[in-house]
Amino acid sequence: MPKTIKKLAVLTSGGDSPGMNAAIRAVVRACAYHNIECFGVYRGYEGLIDGDFESMDARSVRGIINKGGTFLKSARSKNFRTEEGRKKAFQKLQEAEIDGLVAIGGDGTFTGAMIFNQEFGFPVIGIPGTIDNDIFGTSHTLGFDTALNTVVDAIDKIRDTASSHNRLFFVEVMGRDVGHIALNAGIAGGAEEILIPEEDLGMERLVESLNKSRISGKSSSIVVVAEGDKIGKNIFELKDFVDENLEGYDVRVSVLGHMQRGGAPSCFDRVLASRMGVKAVESLLEGKTNYMVGLLNGNMELTPLDRAIKGKTKINLELLRVSEIMST
Ligand code: F6P
């Protein structure tokens, strides 16, 4: 029989993502529903080490489902990477008689949770919160959909000015080492080319293809570049190369940056956050530990944390083909 859980804690760690507040709310409310006390931990693992947490009731999370960021704040904790830091965190949890932890974040957050579980046998469940969509075991991470909408909105605006001036724009989007944001937002924003780390186009072929589009009658172009793409050293070097080798366009660069992580979560992310929060709490109550909750084929499923961390998310080849056909 699993140990009866009476108190849970929830934290957000790593880069924030839209929908984290909605997920915290879901965890707190699911705890209240099951008559469990819930503690909100401030500043991720850093706050856990310092004992910076407080009890939260259902009403304490009112009015946050629509807010971007995370009101619990987030951090990338160096101290939690040390055994000493993790020991302190365990002591703080024991002192408060907390029996389980829901950790919302990306692979760094899950690595910390997994090691913590291995060292102290402490029950943990992860909720994948990152705009990058780079976690195995879920078709969507929390915040990915909102970030896509933000990027598409930005591309639409850039296109207005690009077409007014017959310009070619390189638009850099986030995504760390993967191209999910670039590929999806690029298709939705009608980009002429999409450069992602999973597929190496090469500078010459890019220039060739842009030149072909120009000759076929395109007076302006948008190229979406994933930040992890390796085509040039960076987007400015890429811009210089194209500027020198392609006639007919004035070339500009727009790096979207951290605005992609902000803003009100989309409807999709709010529903996803609510489902993940409930699943995380109920999984811990069922005695499950060391898992991540995820969305697979429309259902809430559990994936062992080590698989979620090590497994690779694959780029959708059909989307790649669609993007190629759309840029004709
Ligand atoms: O993982 C989310 C993310 O926004 C990545 O897309 C990006 O590479 C990174 O975090 C930026 O991190 P920081 O906020 O530390 O600059």
Side-chain angles (χ1 to χ4, degrees):
M1 276 292 283
K3 179 176 176 288
T4 314
I5 287 193
K6 295 206 181 83
K7 294 183 185 183
L8 287 185
V10 57
L11 59 78
T12 48
S13 158
D16 64 341
S17 70
M20 280 186 164
N21 276 326
I24 298 164
R25 172 182 180 269
V27 170
V28 171
R29 295 245 164 116
C31 283
Y33 180 85
H34 288 288
N35 292 317
I36 299 158
E37 190 173 4
C38 189
F39 289 79
V41 183
Y42 293 97
R43 296 176 293 114
Y45 292 123
E46 209 52 31
L48 205 57
I49 293 168
D50 296 341
D52 188 8
F53 39 72
E54 64 179 340
S55 182
M56 295 191 166
D57 64 12
R59 295 285 74 73
S60 68
V61 286
R62 65 159 72 98
I64 63 166
I65 193 168
N66 55 338
K67 300 276 190 287
T70 159
F71 86 97
L72 286 179
K73 311 226 180 255
S74 193
R76 292 190 168 113
S77 172
K78 282 199 182 116
N79 292 328
F80 199 71
R81 290 196 199 133
T82 67
E83 211 183 318
E84 199 192 333
R86 291 192 294 273
K87 242 186 216 160
K88 274 192 196 154
F90 181 61
Q91 274 163 11
K92 294 289 178 191
L93 286 166
Q94 274 197 317
E95 279 162 27
E97 298 177 332
I98 294 170
D99 319 289
L101 174 69
V102 178
I104 308 171
D107 56 356
T109 305
F110 294 166
T111 304
M114 198 178 69
I115 296 173
F116 195 61
N117 173 267
Q118 281 159 1
E119 284 176 347
F120 305 103
F122 198 82
V124 293
I125 292 281
I127 292 181
T130 164
I131 63 166
D132 301 336
N133 209 33
D134 59 348
I135 307 283
F136 181 83
T138 188
S139 61
H140 290 75
T141 55
L142 207 51
F144 176 55
D145 181 70
T146 306
L148 286 181
N149 286 304
T150 302
V151 173
V152 170
D153 185 47
I155 294 174
D156 287 349
K157 286 174 175 147
I158 291 170
R159 189 176 288 288
D160 288 345
T161 175
S163 62
S164 304
H165 290 269
N166 287 357
R167 279 178 172 163
L168 164 64
F169 265 87
F170 286 102
V171 181
E172 186 186 278
V173 302
M174 279 186 167
R176 210 177 278 276
D177 305 320
V178 297
H180 299 295
I181 295 179
L183 184 56
N184 286 273
I187 291 175
E192 276 64 40
E193 295 289 343
I194 303 168
L195 308 181
I196 56 174
E198 292 85 348
E199 198 204 36
D200 183 14
L201 186 62
M203 296 233 222
E204 281 77 17
R205 269 179 52 211
L206 173 67
V207 171
E208 223 173 86
S209 160
L210 289 170
N211 200 30
K212 235 167 98 187
S213 310
R214 191 183 61 84
I215 292 165
S216 78
K218 285 191 183 172
S219 55
S220 66
S221 275
I222 304 276
V223 179
V224 174
V225 187
E227 66 173 339
D229 188 72
K230 304 288 182 292
I231 189 168
K233 271 197 206 116
N234 60 49
I235 196 163
F236 295 99
E237 193 198 56
L238 176 63
K239 180 229 172 217
D240 289 345
F241 182 84
V242 172
D243 225 355
E244 278 162 29
N245 293 282
L246 182 71
E247 281 173 22
Y249 287 126
D250 203 11
V251 188
R252 292 286 187 276
V253 167
S254 184
V255 178
L256 298 188
H258 287 78
M259 56 100 78
Q260 294 164 90
R261 291 225 303 248
S266 64
C267 172
F268 181 89
D269 276 329
R270 294 182 202 191
V271 174
L272 184 64
S274 305
R275 293 176 74 185
M276 284 178 165
V278 169
K279 180 73 177 177
V281 169
E282 293 187 341
S283 299
L284 280 167
L285 294 186
E286 285 162 15
K288 308 255 169 51
T289 178
N290 224 4
Y291 286 100
M292 178 197 82
V293 301
L295 181 68
L296 290 174
N297 300 318
N299 300 314
M300 281 294 108
E301 304 285 355
L302 296 177
T303 298
L305 280 179
D306 64 336
R307 287 204 68 209
I309 298 160
K310 287 186 204 133
K312 285 264 168 284
T313 54
K314 288 200 185 102
I315 210 77
N316 185 329
L317 295 177
E318 188 237 349
L319 282 189
L320 259 186
R321 197 166 161 267
V322 167
S323 82
E324 202 185 316
I325 293 172
M326 289 305 110
S327 65
T328 306

